[in-house]
Amino acid sequence: MEENGTDVRTESEQCVYTCARQKLENLLNKSMKIQMTDGRTLLGLFLCTDRDCNVILGSAQEFLRTTDSFSQAEPRVLGLAMIPGHHVVSIEVETESLQSHGL
């Protein structure tokens, strides 16, 4: 972007930007599982992200890493949660969420 506010992206850069934006828009309100650097896992609906890769999940639940591989801990209900981008290890979109919306 130039000082006067005009967009100086090339046509191919604009296409990449548009395609990436479309992919993100298709993920809105889909169920996501996010692994964090401290071992926690958050499960919730993808609501938004920003340039710093921070992620906002709605109806989020937190699952703690258990030392016993056979026990399943009760999730803690968080509601609306913001995950800083530098704490995200992996993001997984729940497949049934994608299939129910025909993606």
Side-chain angles (χ1 to χ4, degrees):
M1 183 102 34
E2 290 184 359
E3 286 182 31
N4 63 4
T6 59
D7 197 349
V8 292
R9 291 186 194 142
T10 66
E11 201 171 310
S12 63
E13 288 174 331
Q14 186 64 33
C15 180
V16 169
Y17 172 79
T18 303
C19 292
R21 182 182 174 107
Q22 185 64 42
K23 284 182 182 181
L24 273 176
E25 286 177 359
N26 287 337
L27 294 175
L28 287 173
N29 297 311
K30 303 295 186 288
S31 183
M32 287 190 165
K33 184 188 297 185
I34 298 180
Q35 300 282 334
M36 297 175 53
T37 54
D38 62 2
R40 292 181 291 165
T41 301
L42 297 182
L43 180 64
L45 298 177
F46 175 64
L47 298 180
C48 69
T49 188
D50 62 13
R51 292 179 187 192
D52 297 322
C53 297
N54 299 315
V55 177
I56 304 289
L57 292 181
S59 304
Q61 296 180 332
E62 175 188 55
F63 296 86
L64 299 176
R65 180 176 21 186
T66 60
T67 55
D68 181 8
S69 61
F70 295 107
S71 66
Q72 183 66 24
E74 269 305 298
R76 183 170 76 141
V77 177
L78 301 177
L80 194 62
M82 192 280 275
I83 301 98
H86 62 275
H87 287 294
V88 174
V89 173
S90 69
I91 298 176
E92 186 178 319
V93 179
E94 299 292 305
T95 54
E96 56 272 357
S97 179
L98 288 174
Q99 291 169 348
S100 67
H101 290 86
L103 296 177

